[in-house]
Amino acid sequence: MLKLNVIIVGFGFIGRELVKAFHDKVDEIRRIDKDFKVVGASDSKGYLYNDWGLDLKRLSSIKRLSDYSADYREGGSTEELIESGNVDLMVEATPTNIKDGEPGLTFIRKALSKGIHVVTSNKGPLVVAFKELTSLAEKKDCHLLYEGTVAGAIPIFSLVKERLRGDKILRISGILNGTTNYILSRMYFEGTSFELALKEAQERGITERDPSYDVDGIDAACKVVILANALMNRDVKFEDVERTGIRRVTQEAVSLAKKSNFAIKLIGTIDSQIDVAPKHVPINQPLCVHGTLNAIHIEADLAREITLIGYGAGKETVSAVLNDVLTIMRRKAESM
Ligand SMILES: NC(=O)c1ccc[n+]([C@@H]2O[C@H](COP(=O)([O-])OP(=O)(O)OC[C@H]3O[C@@H](n4cnc5c(N)ncnc54)[C@H](OP(=O)(O)O)[C@@H]3O)[C@@H](O)[C@H]2O)c1
């Protein structure tokens, strides 16, 4: 009988939204795993663990784990939680750190080494150690799924890995960062300057704390690295991505492009060259989406061309994380 005990590492925006989705959809989830339960959750200051399962209603109503109950082990580490014994699947949602992948990298290594399946929305560990982690997962016969790391709710990895198994992916290009797309869209539609559009994006709370992560193309480059390694069997490092951000895109350049029916978009491309740069995109191409939307265009030998459009961040990302959890449940159920 399938029985996967889940822990959630990182109780920030994604961790909390996932708990709400677990709570709202518990009946559907229990159709796959009758005994589904979340046995633990951690943040940077401590963790909760209960062998019988945490109360999802209560967990979905609190902002900090320490508000759950006196069971919160202040000062306890995520490593202790992973070691706690009865864990089968870890959802990892700690902050992205592309310098050394920590703390997520250590957590994922530890979980996989113990034979625990992993779902992550955190780009850092995959950018730093994609091959190492996927090899470790394979060696330990574990699933490592990461749909939420690239383009939020767009199911790019599931689509290519599950539905384009016989295709060779020849080229991928895409708008992979919603914040820069918002800025460029404001410049295109409202005639706003880059500086003003950035300020608006910051006021709307859609930029990273350090806006250079978005506007200098760092976030998009991380996603290019993961796409190239996961879907095109490359061995790409962050440093291999040629990167130009959007700081130097002027209102004049945007207006001039518009007159010729083009929009300037920050595009990540993987073919013979791997880069992130502002490019002219014909306004009638499916890739040319606006606002905070993301879009990914795949060119494959058999399917030829597919474009996916959707929300790249925010609550919608939980769709990807939840689906990864359910995919692992389904695969385990089918293998029994
Ligand atoms: N938000 C989105 O729309 C979105 C979309 C796609 C992908 N992602 C990625 O998903 C991940 C989580 O994003 P988020 O928005 O949920 O971030 P967040 O709100 O900043 O939450 C991060 C959580 O990780 C916890 N944490 C930090 N260090 C930890 C440690 N050593 N052990 C255990 N927990 C630790 C934090 O604890 P404290 O609460 O104690 O600080 C916090 O609860 C990030 O990698 C992000 O890039 C986010």
Side-chain angles (χ1 to χ4, degrees), residues 113-251:
S113 304
K114 284 182 60 69
I116 296 171
H117 305 292
V118 173
V119 170
T120 185
S121 61
N122 177 1
K123 292 173 286 295
L126 298 178
V127 170
V128 172
F130 187 87
K131 290 277 178 239
E132 179 207 320
L133 294 178
T134 48
S135 306
L136 180 59
E138 206 173 312
K139 187 170 145 210
K140 292 290 179 178
D141 202 14
C142 283
H143 297 290
L144 166 63
L145 299 183
Y146 41 81
E147 190 68 79
T149 58
V150 176
I154 298 179
I156 178 72
F157 299 108
S158 319
L159 175 90
V160 175
K161 286 172 183 269
E162 300 292 328
R163 296 286 172 250
L164 295 175
R165 286 175 203 262
D167 274 77
K168 182 171 167 40
I169 306 300
L170 307 171
R171 185 174 190 276
I172 298 177
S173 56
I175 295 175
L176 302 169
N177 179 272
T179 307
T180 44
N181 205 32
Y182 172 84
I183 293 171
L184 292 171
S185 299
R186 295 293 289 169
M187 292 172 75
Y188 181 89
F189 287 108
E190 313 297 332
T192 314
S193 67
F194 166 76
E195 290 75 16
L196 190 59
L198 171 60
K199 198 161 164 271
E200 279 177 13
Q202 286 173 314
E203 278 163 10
R204 284 189 56 180
I206 57 170
T207 52
E208 294 286 336
R209 242 171 263 161
D210 173 4
S212 79
Y213 196 68
D214 295 310
V215 298
D216 294 326
I218 297 170
D219 175 63
C222 289
K223 291 163 179 170
V224 159
V225 170
I226 300 174
L227 287 169
N229 292 336
L231 300 182
M232 294 175 77
N233 205 21
R234 304 277 184 93
D235 189 6
V236 173
K237 307 263 176 308
F238 180 76
E239 303 70 50
D240 300 330
V241 184
E242 250 181 69
R243 179 168 54 82
T244 311
I246 63 163
R247 284 184 200 272
R248 294 217 197 111
V249 177
T250 61
Q251 177 48 235

Side-chain angles (χ1 to χ4, degrees), residues 3-127:
K3 191 171 161 299
L4 288 183
N5 286 343
V6 174
I7 58 170
I8 300 172
V9 170
F11 194 66
F13 181 78
I14 296 288
R16 288 197 304 270
E17 288 298 327
L18 179 66
V19 168
K20 283 184 201 153
F22 278 157
H23 176 251
D24 292 346
K25 291 167 190 286
V26 75
D27 293 340
E28 287 95 315
I29 299 170
R30 292 217 166 114
R31 255 178 248 141
I32 308 174
D33 178 357
K34 194 161 74 55
D35 287 319
F36 162 76
K37 51 186 192 286
V38 176
V39 293
S42 69
D43 57 19
S44 68
K45 298 165 206 82
Y47 68 88
L48 286 168
Y49 181 80
N50 186 327
D51 229 3
W52 297 97
L54 300 171
D55 178 345
L56 289 176
K57 188 167 179 204
R58 184 140 149 218
L59 202 56
S60 61
S61 70
I62 57 172
K63 266 207 127 175
R64 285 171 311 205
L65 282 182
S66 53
D67 293 339
Y68 181 85
S69 74
D71 292 345
Y72 181 70
R73 292 171 211 190
E74 181 112 38
S77 70
T78 295
E79 281 96 329
E80 281 166 47
L81 175 63
I82 296 169
E83 288 288 349
S84 61
N86 238 336
V87 180
D88 305 297
L89 193 159
M90 172 178 83
V91 178
E92 195 275 329
T94 65
T96 291
N97 161 2
I98 59 159
K99 291 210 173 76
D100 61 9
E102 298 299 350
L105 181 54
T106 296
F107 301 154
I108 296 177
R109 270 192 194 124
K110 193 165 192 81
L112 292 174
S113 304
K114 284 182 60 69
I116 296 171
H117 305 292
V118 173
V119 170
T120 185
S121 61
N122 177 1
K123 292 173 286 295
L126 298 178
V127 170

